Amino acid sequence: MGHRTGVQMLRTKRVGAALGVTLALGLGLLPGAAFADPSAKHGGSDGHLPGKQENVRLVGEATVTPRPSTTPLPAGTTSRLEGRIADVNVFGNFAYLAAFREPTCENGGVFVMDITDPTKPVEVQDAFIPASPGTYVGEGVQVIQIGARDVLLFNNEPCSATEGNGGFSLIDVTNPRKPVPLVMNAGDTSTEGVATPTATIHSVHSVFGWNDGGKSYAVAVDNVEDRDIDIFDISDPTAPTLVSETTFVDDPRVVQADPPNGDSQFLHDAVVK
């Protein structure tokens, strides 16, 4: 799976009497994607269905700006932007774009785009939200309302076993032009449900937040352990609390001897509706 470098604004055609809908897209399936991570949950770039685009037309687009770096690019690489955008979420008049791992795995985080005029998306240069050093953001960017705050959630994946931080981060984007971190790298440190509070926070492949019954929750897909659905209470976004861990392998209907894709089984993303 490859990733694009910016944002495209598309408008759907009318269907019956329904009005067209403006969409912001930040990722796509690109053949021969650069910087594919062999250890990533979705593996390499082979075997994916071809990308397809129907009933939409391009109305505007923009490219994100490369962040400053003193590390030389690898030989044969000419861009720090290729493959940068892994996910996108729209909230109000702003789009939030995940800054994936660049060739030297620096400058992970979230780009903020003003899409008030969808024909002319503009990056809010001073609003870039950096992840921890040695950490990048993947498929887990979302804004939800928690109390009086608009809160951005994003996942954290370390660049290697010896650098970076896992978990997920919560950022106050009530003023999208001036994001304020509420908590960075919250997450699970237990092993198969046994608490190990001094352990390293687990890498998270994706995170999804929702509100229910006056409370706010986040579900994170854990890269480290098989019991990889971690649910947190984030009603206080400055202090997430782990409330449960589970996984589909606990379901007796799953045949352990014959994993779905032949050699392994895992969860990739979780969505709550």
Side-chain angles (χ1 to χ4, degrees):
M1 182 182 223
H3 303 288
R4 300 191 188 278
T5 61
V7 63
Q8 290 184 325
M9 305 303 300
L10 306 177
R11 185 172 296 277
T12 62
K13 290 182 179 178
R14 292 175 184 270
V15 179
L19 294 176
V21 179
T22 300
L23 305 174
L25 302 182
L27 78 157
L29 303 180
L30 304 179
F35 324 128
D37 177 11
S39 66
K41 284 201 167 188
H42 44 61
S45 58
D46 295 333
H48 292 288
L49 294 173
K52 196 170 185 179
Q53 179 173 302
E54 292 181 338
N55 298 324
V56 295
R57 65 181 178 86
L58 180 66
V59 296
E61 60 184 338
T63 300
V64 294
T65 304
R67 311 302 298 171
S69 175
T70 58
T71 304
L73 286 169
T77 303
T78 60
S79 173
R80 293 191 184 276
L81 288 179
E82 185 176 0
R84 287 311 321 268
I85 305 305
D87 198 6
V88 62
N89 182 252
V90 172
F91 190 86
N93 290 332
F94 291 83
Y96 300 87
L97 283 62
F100 196 62
R101 54 184 300 152
E102 64 174 16
T104 54
C105 203
E106 296 176 277
N107 300 317
V110 178
F111 295 96
V112 180
M113 306 289 292
D114 184 339
I115 58 170
T116 304
D117 180 354
T119 68
K120 298 177 181 178
V122 178
E123 181 183 350
V124 184
Q125 294 283 347
D126 295 335
F128 179 80
I129 304 163
S132 300
T135 304
Y136 62 93
V137 180
E139 297 157 28
V141 174
Q142 181 194 12
V143 178
I144 65 171
Q145 289 183 299
I146 302 179
R149 295 181 171 120
D150 298 334
V151 178
L152 169 71
L153 301 84
F154 64 83
N155 72 304
N156 295 285
E157 296 191 84
C159 292
S160 72
T162 59
E163 61 181 327
N165 294 291
F168 61 94
S169 298
L170 302 177
I171 311 295
D172 186 339
V173 291
T174 308
N175 180 352
R177 297 183 179 278
K178 294 184 178 181
V180 178
L182 298 172
V183 64
M184 300 293 289
N185 306 105
D188 183 22
T189 59
S190 65
T191 301
E192 299 306 318
V194 179
T196 50
T198 60
T200 302
I201 295 171
H202 296 176
S203 170
V204 166
H205 188 73
S206 70
V207 63
F208 186 92
W210 75 99
N211 295 309
D212 182 41
K215 305 277 283 185
S216 298
Y217 298 95
V219 56
V221 177
D222 192 323
N223 280 332
V224 176
E225 58 180 341
D226 290 336
R227 188 175 294 276
D228 58 357
I229 303 175
D230 300 332
I231 299 178
F232 294 82
D233 185 333
I234 58 170
S235 301
D236 177 358
T238 67
T241 303
L242 181 66
V243 295
S244 72
E245 292 184 273
T246 188
T247 185
F248 68 90
V249 298
D250 290 336
D251 190 328
R253 294 171 295 179
V254 176
V255 180
Q256 298 298 304
D258 186 20
N261 62 347
D263 58 0
S264 64
Q265 51 189 321
F266 49 78
L267 288 147
H268 190 276
D269 295 303
V271 175
V272 176
K273 292 188 181 293

